[in-house]
Amino acid sequence: RSNNRDKVEKAEALLQTLLELDEKNSRDNRYSPSQHIFNALMLVYAESKRPDKAEMALSVLRRMENAGVQPDNVSYNTLLKACVKTNVMDDQVRKRILDISRDAFEEMQQKNYLQPDSFTYGNLLWVCNKLIDEDGEEGGEQKRAT
């Protein structure tokens, strides 16, 4: 598990090195970061103790797209996992996590080559359980704890 800042920094540095090598050697695809590299970095964020893990995983997904790498189900499911694992401290964070989760799910549905799978629905249910209470109000897990 990645629970220290050092692992995140090392993973980011590795991706940055690959992106720089790819840019310098544009004719040689062996340096091009793959889905696996981007997905692994997203997982490092999801498993970290960072309070902004969901935002950082989303940032990696956008960088993946900008690099011309097509996200797959693992990419979106890892983003949702980061949302599930985010420690929700206040309503602003709660709203942001719900927005990221909803947007990720909608993006998956809009892409012709992707279909949400059991992991997608499971993570989405975990997010809803964590953030929405039984009355349909935001703040489920936090309100149940009080």
Side-chain angles (χ1 to χ4, degrees), residues 68-84:
V69 178
Q70 202 172 55
D72 61 0
N73 275 35
V74 173
S75 309
Y76 283 97
N77 290 338
T78 304
L79 174 57
L80 289 171
K81 181 177 185 172
C83 291
V84 168

Side-chain angles (χ1 to χ4, degrees), residues 112-125:
N112 295 333
Y113 63 93
L114 287 179
Q115 287 295 318
D117 59 19
S118 60
F119 294 104
T120 309
Y121 289 110
N123 281 323
L124 206 51
L125 286 171

